[in-house]
Amino acid sequence: MSFVRYVNLRVPAAAARPGPSIGQSLGPLGINMAQFCKEFNERSEKLYNKDTPLGVRLTALSDRTFQFDIRSPPTSFLVLRAAGLTKGTSNPNPEAEAIGHITPEQVYEIARIKQKDDMRWHIPLDGIARSVIGTARSVGVAVREHEEDTEEKVDEEVETDPEKLGY
């Protein structure tokens, strides 16, 4: 029972079916696709809403058994859902007009979700939040305060004292 390789998959929560997308990855390793789908659906339906795309890291072993870890949904999916959109922009130009908006509070909530993943526990929340903002920009979503506050904030003086900013 030795390690063969890792397989990264994107599978909808509680809706995995043995099919070409999973079969092409697991078939050559001799892993039972129906067993994987059954175990994945049981574990993911408790964690996320049905059809939420989830990352899965599957560890294939030489005796044709496996272990898998369920990761959080992709950042772009969470950003689009927070903005109330189903699809991102077709023009990922940062200077282009934004198709949606999210607040800084939503950015930090998404960052907290992403920080729970295995590979991000050591990254500060601010770093993950900056990454979320970059992803939002690439899918055409701008980060700003509530819409009625934006015009007033332009006239206010920007605070630069690090102690007042919390650093």
mmCIF file of all heavy atoms in Angstrom, residues 100-142:
data_model
loop_
_atom_site.group_PDB
_atom_site.id
_atom_site.type_symbol
_atom_site.label_atom_id
_atom_site.label_comp_id
_atom_site.label_asym_id
_atom_site.label_seq_id
_atom_site.Cartn_x
_atom_site.Cartn_y
_atom_site.Cartn_z
ATOM 1 N N GLY A 100 -20.148 43.987 -11.526
ATOM 2 C CA GLY A 100 -20.752 43.785 -10.210
ATOM 3 C C GLY A 100 -19.858 44.368 -9.132
ATOM 4 O O GLY A 100 -18.727 44.773 -9.402
ATOM 5 N N HIS A 101 -20.364 44.395 -7.920
ATOM 6 C CA HIS A 101 -19.621 44.979 -6.803
ATOM 7 C C HIS A 101 -19.795 44.124 -5.556
ATOM 8 O O HIS A 101 -20.870 43.563 -5.336
ATOM 9 C CB HIS A 101 -20.123 46.400 -6.515
ATOM 10 C CG HIS A 101 -20.013 47.297 -7.697
ATOM 11 N ND1 HIS A 101 -18.835 47.857 -8.088
ATOM 12 C CD2 HIS A 101 -20.945 47.696 -8.602
ATOM 13 C CE1 HIS A 101 -19.042 48.588 -9.175
ATOM 14 N NE2 HIS A 101 -20.322 48.493 -9.507
ATOM 15 N N ILE A 102 -18.732 44.049 -4.755
ATOM 16 C CA ILE A 102 -18.800 43.420 -3.449
ATOM 17 C C ILE A 102 -18.176 44.370 -2.430
ATOM 18 O O ILE A 102 -17.417 45.265 -2.794
ATOM 19 C CB ILE A 102 -18.119 42.039 -3.406
ATOM 20 C CG1 ILE A 102 -16.636 42.123 -3.784
ATOM 21 C CG2 ILE A 102 -18.844 41.038 -4.263
ATOM 22 C CD1 ILE A 102 -15.886 40.806 -3.655
ATOM 23 N N THR A 103 -18.499 44.171 -1.179
ATOM 24 C CA THR A 103 -17.995 45.041 -0.117
ATOM 25 C C THR A 103 -16.738 44.432 0.507
ATOM 26 O O THR A 103 -16.486 43.227 0.369
ATOM 27 C CB THR A 103 -19.056 45.223 0.978
ATOM 28 O OG1 THR A 103 -19.306 43.955 1.587
ATOM 29 C CG2 THR A 103 -20.339 45.800 0.422
ATOM 30 N N PRO A 104 -15.945 45.231 1.209
ATOM 31 C CA PRO A 104 -14.779 44.695 1.909
ATOM 32 C C PRO A 104 -15.146 43.611 2.931
ATOM 33 O O PRO A 104 -14.371 42.685 3.151
ATOM 34 C CB PRO A 104 -14.178 45.923 2.597
ATOM 35 C CG PRO A 104 -14.616 47.077 1.760
ATOM 36 C CD PRO A 104 -15.974 46.699 1.260
ATOM 37 N N GLU A 105 -16.310 43.717 3.537
ATOM 38 C CA GLU A 105 -16.748 42.695 4.482
ATOM 39 C C GLU A 105 -16.927 41.353 3.778
ATOM 40 O O GLU A 105 -16.571 40.301 4.323
ATOM 41 C CB GLU A 105 -18.071 43.102 5.155
ATOM 42 C CG GLU A 105 -17.944 44.280 6.103
ATOM 43 C CD GLU A 105 -17.946 45.632 5.385
ATOM 44 O OE1 GLU A 105 -18.386 45.704 4.212
ATOM 45 O OE2 GLU A 105 -17.492 46.608 6.008
ATOM 46 N N GLN A 106 -17.474 41.368 2.565
ATOM 47 C CA GLN A 106 -17.623 40.135 1.796
ATOM 48 C C GLN A 106 -16.262 39.571 1.405
ATOM 49 O O GLN A 106 -16.079 38.354 1.396
ATOM 50 C CB GLN A 106 -18.478 40.390 0.553
ATOM 51 C CG GLN A 106 -19.936 40.661 0.876
ATOM 52 C CD GLN A 106 -20.713 41.103 -0.346
ATOM 53 O OE1 GLN A 106 -20.274 41.963 -1.098
ATOM 54 N NE2 GLN A 106 -21.888 40.513 -0.530
ATOM 55 N N VAL A 107 -15.310 40.453 1.093
ATOM 56 C CA VAL A 107 -13.957 40.003 0.751
ATOM 57 C C VAL A 107 -13.348 39.249 1.925
ATOM 58 O O VAL A 107 -12.778 38.164 1.762
ATOM 59 C CB VAL A 107 -13.064 41.201 0.344
ATOM 60 C CG1 VAL A 107 -11.599 40.785 0.266
ATOM 61 C CG2 VAL A 107 -13.525 41.780 -0.978
ATOM 62 N N TYR A 108 -13.466 39.809 3.132
ATOM 63 C CA TYR A 108 -12.890 39.145 4.301
ATOM 64 C C TYR A 108 -13.623 37.860 4.655
ATOM 65 O O TYR A 108 -13.015 36.906 5.143
ATOM 66 C CB TYR A 108 -12.828 40.104 5.495
ATOM 67 C CG TYR A 108 -11.562 40.914 5.442
ATOM 68 C CD1 TYR A 108 -11.553 42.194 4.910
ATOM 69 C CD2 TYR A 108 -10.357 40.378 5.883
ATOM 70 C CE1 TYR A 108 -10.391 42.927 4.825
ATOM 71 C CE2 TYR A 108 -9.184 41.102 5.802
ATOM 72 C CZ TYR A 108 -9.202 42.373 5.276
ATOM 73 O OH TYR A 108 -8.049 43.084 5.183
ATOM 74 N N GLU A 109 -14.913 37.785 4.388
ATOM 75 C CA GLU A 109 -15.647 36.545 4.622
ATOM 76 C C GLU A 109 -15.158 35.454 3.665
ATOM 77 O O GLU A 109 -14.960 34.304 4.063
ATOM 78 C CB GLU A 109 -17.152 36.774 4.456
ATOM 79 C CG GLU A 109 -17.988 35.594 4.861
ATOM 80 C CD GLU A 109 -17.809 35.200 6.318
ATOM 81 O OE1 GLU A 109 -17.634 36.081 7.177
ATOM 82 O OE2 GLU A 109 -17.819 33.989 6.595
ATOM 83 N N ILE A 110 -14.945 35.800 2.403
ATOM 84 C CA ILE A 110 -14.402 34.850 1.432
ATOM 85 C C ILE A 110 -12.986 34.441 1.841
ATOM 86 O O ILE A 110 -12.618 33.265 1.763
ATOM 87 C CB ILE A 110 -14.430 35.449 0.015
ATOM 88 C CG1 ILE A 110 -15.878 35.627 -0.452
ATOM 89 C CG2 ILE A 110 -13.652 34.581 -0.972
ATOM 90 C CD1 ILE A 110 -16.040 36.449 -1.714
ATOM 91 N N ALA A 111 -12.190 35.388 2.313
ATOM 92 C CA ALA A 111 -10.825 35.084 2.746
ATOM 93 C C ALA A 111 -10.839 34.114 3.929
ATOM 94 O O ALA A 111 -9.997 33.214 4.009
ATOM 95 C CB ALA A 111 -10.083 36.366 3.107
ATOM 96 N N ARG A 112 -11.784 34.259 4.845
ATOM 97 C CA ARG A 112 -11.882 33.324 5.977
ATOM 98 C C ARG A 112 -12.221 31.922 5.498
ATOM 99 O O ARG A 112 -11.714 30.939 6.030
ATOM 100 C CB ARG A 112 -12.935 33.800 6.969
ATOM 101 C CG ARG A 112 -12.433 34.863 7.887
ATOM 102 C CD ARG A 112 -13.406 35.106 9.039
ATOM 103 N NE ARG A 112 -13.313 36.495 9.414
ATOM 104 C CZ ARG A 112 -14.193 37.439 9.128
ATOM 105 N NH1 ARG A 112 -15.293 37.131 8.489
ATOM 106 N NH2 ARG A 112 -14.006 38.676 9.488
ATOM 107 N N ILE A 113 -13.101 31.819 4.505
ATOM 108 C CA ILE A 113 -13.442 30.513 3.939
ATOM 109 C C ILE A 113 -12.204 29.887 3.299
ATOM 110 O O ILE A 113 -11.916 28.710 3.500
ATOM 111 C CB ILE A 113 -14.583 30.649 2.908
ATOM 112 C CG1 ILE A 113 -15.881 31.026 3.613
ATOM 113 C CG2 ILE A 113 -14.761 29.367 2.108
ATOM 114 C CD1 ILE A 113 -16.992 31.443 2.669
ATOM 115 N N LYS A 114 -11.464 30.674 2.527
ATOM 116 C CA LYS A 114 -10.282 30.152 1.841
ATOM 117 C C LYS A 114 -9.141 29.819 2.803
ATOM 118 O O LYS A 114 -8.336 28.946 2.534
ATOM 119 C CB LYS A 114 -9.793 31.142 0.775
ATOM 120 C CG LYS A 114 -10.784 31.419 -0.334
ATOM 121 C CD LYS A 114 -11.245 30.165 -1.042
ATOM 122 C CE LYS A 114 -10.199 29.615 -1.968
ATOM 123 N NZ LYS A 114 -10.672 28.431 -2.714
ATOM 124 N N GLN A 115 -9.076 30.512 3.942
ATOM 125 C CA GLN A 115 -8.002 30.271 4.904
ATOM 126 C C GLN A 115 -8.133 28.901 5.560
ATOM 127 O O GLN A 115 -7.148 28.352 6.050
ATOM 128 C CB GLN A 115 -7.998 31.364 5.969
ATOM 129 C CG GLN A 115 -6.747 31.370 6.823
ATOM 130 C CD GLN A 115 -6.721 32.527 7.796
ATOM 131 O OE1 GLN A 115 -7.756 32.932 8.314
ATOM 132 N NE2 GLN A 115 -5.551 33.069 8.023
ATOM 133 N N LYS A 116 -9.300 28.298 5.521
ATOM 134 C CA LYS A 116 -9.507 26.979 6.123
ATOM 135 C C LYS A 116 -8.892 25.852 5.292
ATOM 136 O O LYS A 116 -8.768 24.737 5.785
ATOM 137 C CB LYS A 116 -10.995 26.723 6.322
ATOM 138 C CG LYS A 116 -11.619 27.655 7.337
ATOM 139 C CD LYS A 116 -13.106 27.438 7.448
ATOM 140 C CE LYS A 116 -13.729 28.474 8.357
ATOM 141 N NZ LYS A 116 -15.190 28.384 8.376
ATOM 142 N N ASP A 117 -8.529 26.113 4.040
ATOM 143 C CA ASP A 117 -7.887 25.094 3.216
ATOM 144 C C ASP A 117 -6.528 24.721 3.801
ATOM 145 O O ASP A 117 -5.856 25.535 4.432
ATOM 146 C CB ASP A 117 -7.697 25.588 1.780
ATOM 147 C CG ASP A 117 -8.972 25.504 0.966
ATOM 148 O OD1 ASP A 117 -9.935 24.874 1.423
ATOM 149 O OD2 ASP A 117 -8.995 26.070 -0.143
ATOM 150 N N ASP A 118 -6.111 23.493 3.549
ATOM 151 C CA ASP A 118 -4.861 22.976 4.114
ATOM 152 C C ASP A 118 -3.642 23.808 3.761
ATOM 153 O O ASP A 118 -2.777 24.025 4.595
ATOM 154 C CB ASP A 118 -4.626 21.541 3.640
ATOM 155 C CG ASP A 118 -5.610 20.565 4.257
ATOM 156 O OD1 ASP A 118 -6.186 20.907 5.310
ATOM 157 O OD2 ASP A 118 -5.785 19.471 3.694
ATOM 158 N N MET A 119 -3.553 24.266 2.545
ATOM 159 C CA MET A 119 -2.343 24.948 2.095
ATOM 160 C C MET A 119 -2.320 26.437 2.438
ATOM 161 O O MET A 119 -1.364 27.123 2.127
ATOM 162 C CB MET A 119 -2.174 24.785 0.578
ATOM 163 C CG MET A 119 -2.094 23.344 0.136
ATOM 164 S SD MET A 119 -0.750 22.440 0.894
ATOM 165 C CE MET A 119 0.629 23.158 0.079
ATOM 166 N N ARG A 120 -3.346 26.943 3.089
ATOM 167 C CA ARG A 120 -3.400 28.385 3.377
ATOM 168 C C ARG A 120 -3.483 28.725 4.859
ATOM 169 O O ARG A 120 -3.637 29.880 5.202
ATOM 170 C CB ARG A 120 -4.604 28.995 2.657
ATOM 171 C CG ARG A 120 -4.461 28.974 1.166
ATOM 172 C CD ARG A 120 -5.601 29.740 0.515
ATOM 173 N NE ARG A 120 -5.492 29.676 -0.916
ATOM 174 C CZ ARG A 120 -6.133 28.811 -1.676
ATOM 175 N NH1 ARG A 120 -6.925 27.926 -1.136
ATOM 176 N NH2 ARG A 120 -5.984 28.822 -2.976
ATOM 177 N N TRP A 121 -3.386 27.782 5.742
ATOM 178 C CA TRP A 121 -3.556 28.058 7.164
ATOM 179 C C TRP A 121 -2.501 29.010 7.694
ATOM 180 O O TRP A 121 -2.735 29.732 8.649
ATOM 181 C CB TRP A 121 -3.555 26.763 7.975
ATOM 182 C CG TRP A 121 -2.258 26.013 7.872
ATOM 183 C CD1 TRP A 121 -1.958 25.043 6.961
ATOM 184 C CD2 TRP A 121 -1.097 26.195 8.673
ATOM 185 N NE1 TRP A 121 -0.677 24.609 7.150
ATOM 186 C CE2 TRP A 121 -0.116 25.302 8.200
ATOM 187 C CE3 TRP A 121 -0.774 27.024 9.745
ATOM 188 C CZ2 TRP A 121 1.148 25.215 8.756
ATOM 189 C CZ3 TRP A 121 0.492 26.931 10.294
ATOM 190 C CH2 TRP A 121 1.428 26.026 9.813
ATOM 191 N N HIS A 122 -1.314 29.040 7.075
ATOM 192 C CA HIS A 122 -0.211 29.864 7.574
ATOM 193 C C HIS A 122 -0.157 31.263 6.953
ATOM 194 O O HIS A 122 0.610 32.095 7.390
ATOM 195 C CB HIS A 122 1.117 29.152 7.322
ATOM 196 C CG HIS A 122 1.414 28.978 5.860
ATOM 197 N ND1 HIS A 122 0.784 28.031 5.080
ATOM 198 C CD2 HIS A 122 2.247 29.649 5.049
ATOM 199 C CE1 HIS A 122 1.234 28.124 3.835
ATOM 200 N NE2 HIS A 122 2.117 29.092 3.788
ATOM 201 N N ILE A 123 -0.990 31.520 5.954
ATOM 202 C CA ILE A 123 -0.983 32.813 5.274
ATOM 203 C C ILE A 123 -1.864 33.785 6.048
ATOM 204 O O ILE A 123 -2.992 33.449 6.421
ATOM 205 C CB ILE A 123 -1.483 32.675 3.828
ATOM 206 C CG1 ILE A 123 -0.590 31.696 3.050
ATOM 207 C CG2 ILE A 123 -1.502 34.030 3.125
ATOM 208 C CD1 ILE A 123 -1.087 31.374 1.663
ATOM 209 N N PRO A 124 -1.380 35.008 6.297
ATOM 210 C CA PRO A 124 -2.211 35.984 7.013
ATOM 211 C C PRO A 124 -3.497 36.292 6.245
ATOM 212 O O PRO A 124 -3.529 36.257 5.018
ATOM 213 C CB PRO A 124 -1.330 37.229 7.101
ATOM 214 C CG PRO A 124 0.031 36.805 6.717
ATOM 215 C CD PRO A 124 -0.070 35.528 5.964
ATOM 216 N N LEU A 125 -4.534 36.610 6.978
ATOM 217 C CA LEU A 125 -5.836 36.887 6.376
ATOM 218 C C LEU A 125 -5.771 38.054 5.400
ATOM 219 O O LEU A 125 -6.434 38.034 4.364
ATOM 220 C CB LEU A 125 -6.869 37.155 7.474
ATOM 221 C CG LEU A 125 -8.325 37.210 7.044
ATOM 222 C CD1 LEU A 125 -8.753 35.869 6.466
ATOM 223 C CD2 LEU A 125 -9.205 37.578 8.210
ATOM 224 N N ASP A 126 -4.945 39.064 5.691
ATOM 225 C CA ASP A 126 -4.806 40.201 4.774
ATOM 226 C C ASP A 126 -4.253 39.763 3.419
ATOM 227 O O ASP A 126 -4.672 40.264 2.377
ATOM 228 C CB ASP A 126 -3.896 41.277 5.367
ATOM 229 C CG ASP A 126 -4.564 42.045 6.489
ATOM 230 O OD1 ASP A 126 -5.801 41.959 6.596
ATOM 231 O OD2 ASP A 126 -3.851 42.734 7.237
ATOM 232 N N GLY A 127 -3.300 38.846 3.420
ATOM 233 C CA GLY A 127 -2.730 38.349 2.171
ATOM 234 C C GLY A 127 -3.753 37.600 1.337
ATOM 235 O O GLY A 127 -3.824 37.754 0.114
ATOM 236 N N ILE A 128 -4.556 36.788 2.000
ATOM 237 C CA ILE A 128 -5.607 36.058 1.285
ATOM 238 C C ILE A 128 -6.656 37.033 0.766
ATOM 239 O O ILE A 128 -7.153 36.887 -0.351
ATOM 240 C CB ILE A 128 -6.229 34.988 2.197
ATOM 241 C CG1 ILE A 128 -5.165 33.962 2.601
ATOM 242 C CG2 ILE A 128 -7.388 34.299 1.504
ATOM 243 C CD1 ILE A 128 -5.614 32.979 3.649
ATOM 244 N N ALA A 129 -6.971 38.067 1.553
ATOM 245 C CA ALA A 129 -7.953 39.067 1.116
ATOM 246 C C ALA A 129 -7.454 39.814 -0.120
ATOM 247 O O ALA A 129 -8.235 40.089 -1.037
ATOM 248 C CB ALA A 129 -8.252 40.047 2.245
ATOM 249 N N ARG A 130 -6.162 40.134 -0.174
ATOM 250 C CA ARG A 130 -5.613 40.791 -1.381
ATOM 251 C C ARG A 130 -5.725 39.872 -2.591
ATOM 252 O O ARG A 130 -6.010 40.327 -3.706
ATOM 253 C CB ARG A 130 -4.162 41.197 -1.136
ATOM 254 C CG ARG A 130 -4.029 42.440 -0.290
ATOM 255 C CD ARG A 130 -2.626 42.998 -0.322
ATOM 256 N NE ARG A 130 -1.653 42.076 0.231
ATOM 257 C CZ ARG A 130 -1.248 42.075 1.503
ATOM 258 N NH1 ARG A 130 -1.744 42.952 2.347
ATOM 259 N NH2 ARG A 130 -0.365 41.202 1.927
ATOM 260 N N SER A 131 -5.521 38.592 -2.386
ATOM 261 C CA SER A 131 -5.683 37.627 -3.473
ATOM 262 C C SER A 131 -7.136 37.566 -3.940
ATOM 263 O O SER A 131 -7.414 37.479 -5.141
ATOM 264 C CB SER A 131 -5.222 36.247 -2.999
ATOM 265 O OG SER A 131 -5.466 35.277 -3.965
ATOM 266 N N VAL A 132 -8.075 37.632 -3.005
ATOM 267 C CA VAL A 132 -9.505 37.636 -3.352
ATOM 268 C C VAL A 132 -9.840 38.877 -4.169
ATOM 269 O O VAL A 132 -10.576 38.805 -5.156
ATOM 270 C CB VAL A 132 -10.379 37.557 -2.073
ATOM 271 C CG1 VAL A 132 -11.842 37.809 -2.396
ATOM 272 C CG2 VAL A 132 -10.211 36.211 -1.399
ATOM 273 N N ILE A 133 -9.273 40.026 -3.792
ATOM 274 C CA ILE A 133 -9.516 41.267 -4.546
ATOM 275 C C ILE A 133 -8.975 41.134 -5.964
ATOM 276 O O ILE A 133 -9.622 41.555 -6.925
ATOM 277 C CB ILE A 133 -8.890 42.471 -3.813
ATOM 278 C CG1 ILE A 133 -9.658 42.738 -2.521
ATOM 279 C CG2 ILE A 133 -8.887 43.712 -4.696
ATOM 280 C CD1 ILE A 133 -8.996 43.732 -1.595
ATOM 281 N N GLY A 134 -7.805 40.535 -6.129
ATOM 282 C CA GLY A 134 -7.248 40.318 -7.461
ATOM 283 C C GLY A 134 -8.119 39.400 -8.303
ATOM 284 O O GLY A 134 -8.339 39.652 -9.487
ATOM 285 N N THR A 135 -8.637 38.350 -7.692
ATOM 286 C CA THR A 135 -9.541 37.452 -8.407
ATOM 287 C C THR A 135 -10.826 38.169 -8.787
ATOM 288 O O THR A 135 -11.334 38.009 -9.900
ATOM 289 C CB THR A 135 -9.858 36.212 -7.548
ATOM 290 O OG1 THR A 135 -8.636 35.540 -7.241
ATOM 291 C CG2 THR A 135 -10.792 35.265 -8.269
ATOM 292 N N ALA A 136 -11.340 38.982 -7.875
ATOM 293 C CA ALA A 136 -12.559 39.739 -8.168
ATOM 294 C C ALA A 136 -12.336 40.662 -9.358
ATOM 295 O O ALA A 136 -13.187 40.757 -10.249
ATOM 296 C CB ALA A 136 -12.990 40.547 -6.941
ATOM 297 N N ARG A 137 -11.200 41.316 -9.388
ATOM 298 C CA ARG A 137 -10.884 42.217 -10.497
ATOM 299 C C ARG A 137 -10.831 41.446 -11.825
ATOM 300 O O ARG A 137 -11.305 41.928 -12.848
ATOM 301 C CB ARG A 137 -9.539 42.891 -10.214
ATOM 302 C CG ARG A 137 -9.381 44.209 -10.893
ATOM 303 C CD ARG A 137 -8.082 44.889 -10.511
ATOM 304 N NE ARG A 137 -8.091 45.303 -9.110
ATOM 305 C CZ ARG A 137 -7.029 45.256 -8.325
ATOM 306 N NH1 ARG A 137 -5.885 44.807 -8.765
ATOM 307 N NH2 ARG A 137 -7.115 45.663 -7.074
ATOM 308 N N SER A 138 -10.278 40.232 -11.796
ATOM 309 C CA SER A 138 -10.136 39.466 -13.036
ATOM 310 C C SER A 138 -11.464 38.930 -13.566
ATOM 311 O O SER A 138 -11.581 38.644 -14.750
ATOM 312 C CB SER A 138 -9.148 38.320 -12.851
ATOM 313 O OG SER A 138 -9.703 37.315 -12.051
ATOM 314 N N VAL A 139 -12.475 38.780 -12.692
ATOM 315 C CA VAL A 139 -13.791 38.338 -13.169
ATOM 316 C C VAL A 139 -14.747 39.503 -13.383
ATOM 317 O O VAL A 139 -15.924 39.299 -13.671
ATOM 318 C CB VAL A 139 -14.427 37.267 -12.239
ATOM 319 C CG1 VAL A 139 -13.611 36.014 -12.220
ATOM 320 C CG2 VAL A 139 -14.684 37.805 -10.863
ATOM 321 N N GLY A 140 -14.258 40.739 -13.213
ATOM 322 C CA GLY A 140 -15.059 41.920 -13.513
ATOM 323 C C GLY A 140 -15.868 42.443 -12.352
ATOM 324 O O GLY A 140 -16.857 43.139 -12.545
ATOM 325 N N VAL A 141 -15.460 42.131 -11.131
ATOM 326 C CA VAL A 141 -16.180 42.588 -9.951
ATOM 327 C C VAL A 141 -15.290 43.575 -9.197
ATOM 328 O O VAL A 141 -14.128 43.293 -8.933
ATOM 329 C CB VAL A 141 -16.556 41.395 -9.038
ATOM 330 C CG1 VAL A 141 -17.204 41.874 -7.754
ATOM 331 C CG2 VAL A 141 -17.492 40.440 -9.772
ATOM 332 N N ALA A 142 -15.849 44.718 -8.859
ATOM 333 C CA ALA A 142 -15.110 45.741 -8.132
ATOM 334 C C ALA A 142 -15.423 45.642 -6.637
ATOM 335 O O ALA A 142 -16.509 45.219 -6.251
ATOM 336 C CB ALA A 142 -15.484 47.129 -8.636
#
